[in-house]
Amino acid sequence: MKIVGLDQHCVNPGDLSWEEIETLGEYTVYERTNSVSDVVERSKDAEAILVNKVEITNDVMSQLPKLKYIGEMATGYNNIDIEAAKRRGIVVTNVPAYSTDSVAQLVFAHILNISNSVDHYATETRNGEWSRQPDFCYWDTPIIELSGKTIGIVGLGNIGMKVAMIAHSFGMDVSAVTSKETHNLPTWIRKSTLTGLLSSSYIVTLHCPLTTDTRQMINSKTLQLMHPNSILVNTGRGGLVDEDAVAAALQSKELGAYCVDVLNEEPPRSDNPLFKCDRAYITPHVAWASRDARSRLIHIAAGNIKAFIDGKPVNVVNGL
């Protein structure tokens, strides 16, 4: 089988091996593929392609007559027209749950940075502020204890549930917007509506897919439901929020902080309105990128390809 990886640099910038995939066929790796014409040229003889963020549209597929398989090297697959793939008999798979622990860890890295002002005090100490104090300790921001606070989780998939478990271990009250039935949830998770969750939570964290229904679910209207000191966390998809509305809410102090690892445009424009907000804490889409998580990603992706070759595909997202 001829396999082509179109944008593999972020998955493996050189610290991991492609051996598991190389044993399955003739594997050609491209670090980046930026144009539609390059996608078509590089994939024209491929039976299988692997993508991370490259868009595979119906038009692209129409120019790849040998294509039988698309492997999404991620959990989200909104960059692939899965209905067009289904019509063409092209199997599409994704890689679920590979980054659950890493993403949940970054969620709480952001939350703890806010609640304990870790970056602020590390900077203050380096600048000599503690050394100038008359007392043994120094603080000039509120120190927030998470125990007893309410965290609202939008989406209880693998990552959302992991975040819920960590929050519970901190002694937090956990609310969630989820399609799961109440009797299938732990007793310590309270099922809620989005309106109820936004209005009652000190921290709101987004872990749902980006769909037509969830696009900009956080906007100027829904932000008004949140308390002025609330923390909004987004490690899901940038499109879940209206960035202009969030920036405005931060500037007017109607939102306490925005902790985000994903933006609408990546890499972002230098004039993104969030960059002007002191209480916007932005990491460059790294929640998934631990070496452990990327190693699992490659291992599962290789397993997906092997299962397809064996005629028993797994992790299929388009019903074939």
Side-chain angles (χ1 to χ4, degrees):
M1 172 177 278
K2 185 175 177 58
I3 307 166
V4 174
L6 289 170
D7 54 343
Q8 303 293 270
H9 175 76
C10 289
V11 173
N12 179 11
D15 59 340
L16 297 170
S17 171
W18 293 116
E19 184 177 358
E20 282 192 88
I21 297 175
E22 289 170 341
T23 62
L24 299 172
E26 179 188 343
Y27 185 38
T28 303
V29 177
Y30 295 99
E31 290 194 345
R32 300 173 183 87
T33 303
N34 296 318
S35 69
V36 172
S37 60
D38 281 345
V39 170
V40 173
E41 177 62 27
R42 293 174 176 182
S43 307
K44 63 183 180 182
D45 294 321
E47 296 168 86
I49 60 174
L50 303 179
V51 297
N52 186 267
K53 291 293 180 287
V54 167
E55 293 190 4
I56 306 298
T57 63
N58 181 53
D59 179 59
V60 167
M61 285 180 258
S62 72
Q63 300 176 71
L64 304 176
K66 297 181 181 180
L67 187 62
K68 301 175 182 176
Y69 175 89
I70 302 172
E72 177 66 68
M73 299 285 279
T75 301
Y77 45 87
N78 51 293
N79 55 313
I80 301 170
D81 188 336
I82 61 170
E83 291 302 321
K86 184 175 182 178
R87 291 195 302 271
R88 295 176 180 279
I90 299 170
V91 171
V92 181
T93 66
N94 75 335
V95 182
Y98 75 95
S99 64
T100 299
D101 291 338
S102 290
V103 176
Q105 180 176 307
L106 185 69
V107 169
F108 277 89
H110 272 298
I111 291 171
L112 293 170
N113 181 51
I114 297 291
S115 58
N116 291 80
S117 298
V118 177
D119 180 63
H120 168 71
Y121 288 117
T123 300
E124 289 282 272
T125 300
R126 281 195 298 270
N127 292 338
E129 191 59 41
W130 189 13
S131 300
R132 291 189 284 270
Q133 298 305 311
D135 305 306
F136 76 95
C137 64
Y138 155 71
W139 72 90
D140 61 354
T141 68
I143 307 297
I144 300 161
E145 186 173 274
L146 294 179
S147 181
K149 302 289 193 301
T150 297
I151 185 169
I153 303 172
V154 182
L156 275 183
N158 292 312
I159 296 172
M161 185 59 74
K162 186 72 175 187
V163 169
M165 293 169 63
I166 297 171
H168 181 60
S169 72
F170 270 106
M172 302 188 75
D173 294 327
V174 182
S175 293
V177 174
T178 176
S179 59
K180 292 181 171 68
E181 297 294 335
T182 300
H183 66 268
N184 290 326
L185 298 175
T187 56
W188 45 267
I189 295 181
R190 180 175 61 255
K191 187 170 180 176
S192 178
T193 63
L194 180 62
T195 297
L197 182 144
L198 294 176
S199 61
S200 63
S201 299
Y202 171 62
I203 298 169
V204 173
T205 180
L206 307 179
H207 300 288
C208 55
L210 179 62
T211 67
T212 53
D213 291 331
T214 62
R215 184 173 296 278
Q216 294 197 353
M217 64 190 305
I218 303 299
N219 52 55
S220 57
K221 291 184 178 179
T222 53
L223 282 165
Q224 292 176 10
L225 299 171
M226 299 178 67
H227 298 291
N229 63 341
S230 295
I231 299 169
L232 176 63
V233 183
N234 184 10
T235 57
R237 287 289 183 267
L240 296 172
V241 309
D242 179 337
E243 291 175 355
D244 290 324
V246 169
L250 290 170
Q251 296 283 18
S252 63
K253 297 184 178 180
E254 295 173 292
L255 179 66
Y258 184 41
C259 304
V260 58
D261 189 55
V262 287
L263 295 175
N264 277 301
E265 185 177 347
E266 297 176 344
R269 292 164 53 100
S270 59
D271 61 351
N272 186 298
L274 292 170
F275 294 171
K276 298 179 181 179
C277 301
D278 292 338
R279 298 288 286 176
Y281 298 87
I282 305 168
T283 48
H285 207 142
V286 295
W288 69 286
S290 70
R291 191 178 190 279
D292 290 329
R294 290 183 292 106
S295 179
R296 280 192 296 272
L297 170 61
I298 292 172
H299 176 68
I300 297 170
N304 286 349
I305 299 169
K306 185 177 187 306
F308 172 74
I309 293 171
D310 291 343
K312 299 177 181 179
V314 296
N315 296 320
V316 178
V317 298
N318 66 334
L320 289 177

